[in-house]
Amino acid sequence: MGAGKRDFRNGPLASSAIKTEEVRMPEMLIGYFIGPFGALLSSGIFTSILQNYFTDVLQLNLAFLTTLQLFSTILIVVANLIVGQLIERTKTMAGKARP
């Protein structure tokens, strides 16, 4: 690419809407309460439905399902740590939560 061209990562669509360094109340409510609450609620509903399907329809062993969920949770934690480091090292305008 030429020096005068801007790519998508540094364009206006990928730029952050946050311009200040301090966290305000609406941002705290959405980021620390409403967002995680919704994610945990939907995850719990989905997991309970999936657990019933696996045990009642597929007739899978409950010990196997518990081990599978534990293994997938460990993979999710590792993936979150890796993606967090990738975001931390990103050099775009929207790479960090604060400017």
Side-chain angles (χ1 to χ4, degrees):
M1 279 191 198
K5 288 187 177 181
R6 293 187 340 185
D7 60 351
F8 174 75
R9 292 177 294 163
N10 293 320
L13 281 174
S15 66
S16 176
I18 298 171
K19 304 297 180 204
T20 62
E21 291 198 23
E22 55 275 347
V23 179
R24 296 202 171 106
M25 187 56 72
E27 202 175 346
M28 281 188 219
L29 287 175
I30 292 173
Y32 297 128
F33 179 68
I34 297 173
F37 179 76
L40 288 172
L41 181 66
S42 63
S43 174
I45 292 170
F46 177 73
T47 302
S48 67
I49 292 170
L50 194 60
Q51 186 86 8
N52 285 340
Y53 176 76
F54 283 158
T55 56
D56 297 343
V57 177
L58 297 181
Q59 300 293 318
L60 292 177
N61 187 1
L62 194 58
F64 169 74
L65 293 175
T66 304
T67 307
L68 182 65
Q69 286 179 347
L70 179 66
F71 180 70
S72 66
T73 302
I74 291 170
L75 287 179
I76 289 170
V77 167
V78 170
N80 281 338
L81 292 173
I82 292 170
V83 170
Q85 286 301 310
L86 287 173
I87 291 173
E88 185 68 25
R89 295 162 196 227
T90 301
K91 302 295 183 202
T92 63
M93 293 186 327
K96 303 224 180 214
R98 294 279 164 227

